[in-house]
Amino acid sequence: MSSLDNPNPTVFARVDRVRTNQRLPGIQAEDVFDVIRTIKDPEHPYSLEELNVVSEHGVDVRFDEHTGYSNISLNFTPTVPHCSLAILIGLCIRVKCQRELVGKFKLDIAVPQGTHQTASEVTRQVNDKERVAAAQENPALMSMVEECVAEIID
């Protein structure tokens, strides 16, 4: 990339988490956060957690006993309001959740209004099944996704 959208991002410390052994039905918010926290930012050698793009507070999971589905609402906040890679970040989140979360779930990804210039457009695109499927058929785009979802080794 020739120029960075955010050449000097604020980097936050990773949080060491202690998980409880108590299991409730369905997918838990901590399961989702554990999956997405290590996604690498497309511009920087830091995880989305370290750049505060994703946080535990941005994940909400509601289990529907009637359907057996976990309804996951996930907010992410790009580091700058003009981030040109917000849709790629959303796609990385969706791909990694689809690959690693176990169980039946519906995933709704959103960029909160006021955190990005085109928040509603990004939100719509990362939740559009046809656009996501088309993106997953694009080898160049999926190569970037694969780089981001690969585990970060310290």
Side-chain angles (χ1 to χ4, degrees):
M1 290 186 196
S2 57
S3 66
L4 302 175
D5 285 343
N6 185 1
N8 298 305
T10 302
V11 179
F12 299 82
R14 290 187 207 177
V15 177
D16 289 330
R17 299 177 55 244
V18 177
R19 298 203 47 169
T20 65
N21 288 330
Q22 179 184 8
R23 292 298 301 167
L24 301 170
I27 297 167
Q28 305 303 304
E30 64 185 8
D31 299 330
V32 177
F33 185 67
D34 283 345
V35 167
I36 65 170
R37 69 190 291 189
T38 60
I39 296 171
K40 182 188 164 295
D41 182 79
E43 283 189 325
H44 300 286
Y46 302 109
S47 70
L48 296 184
E49 176 188 27
E50 289 173 304
L51 295 175
N52 210 28
V53 172
V54 297
S55 69
E56 284 187 86
H57 298 109
V59 180
D60 182 56
V61 180
R62 310 254 181 208
F63 183 71
D64 185 334
E65 292 181 17
H66 299 295
T67 64
Y69 276 79
S70 296
N71 296 304
I72 304 167
S73 296
L74 195 153
N75 289 332
F76 76 94
T77 304
T79 59
V80 291
H82 58 276
C83 178
S84 63
L85 298 172
I87 294 171
L88 176 61
I89 292 169
L91 181 61
C92 291
I93 290 169
R94 180 164 299 284
V95 165
K96 193 149 189 212
C97 285
Q98 288 173 337
R99 288 181 183 173
E100 296 189 20
L101 291 176
V102 178
K104 299 188 301 184
F105 64 92
K106 179 183 179 300
L107 177 60
D108 182 42
I109 301 171
V111 174
Q113 288 297 323
T115 64
H116 191 271
Q117 292 173 342
T118 60
S120 58
E121 177 69 17
V122 173
T123 297
R124 187 169 49 77
Q125 287 192 34
V126 299
N127 289 301
D128 183 306
K129 290 179 183 178
E130 290 179 8
R131 287 182 187 243
V132 170
Q136 290 177 318
E137 292 176 7
N138 180 324
L141 187 56
M142 286 310 292
S143 175
M144 289 187 282
V145 169
E146 294 300 335
E147 283 183 37
C148 294
V149 300
E151 289 298 315
I152 295 175
I153 300 174
D154 295 322

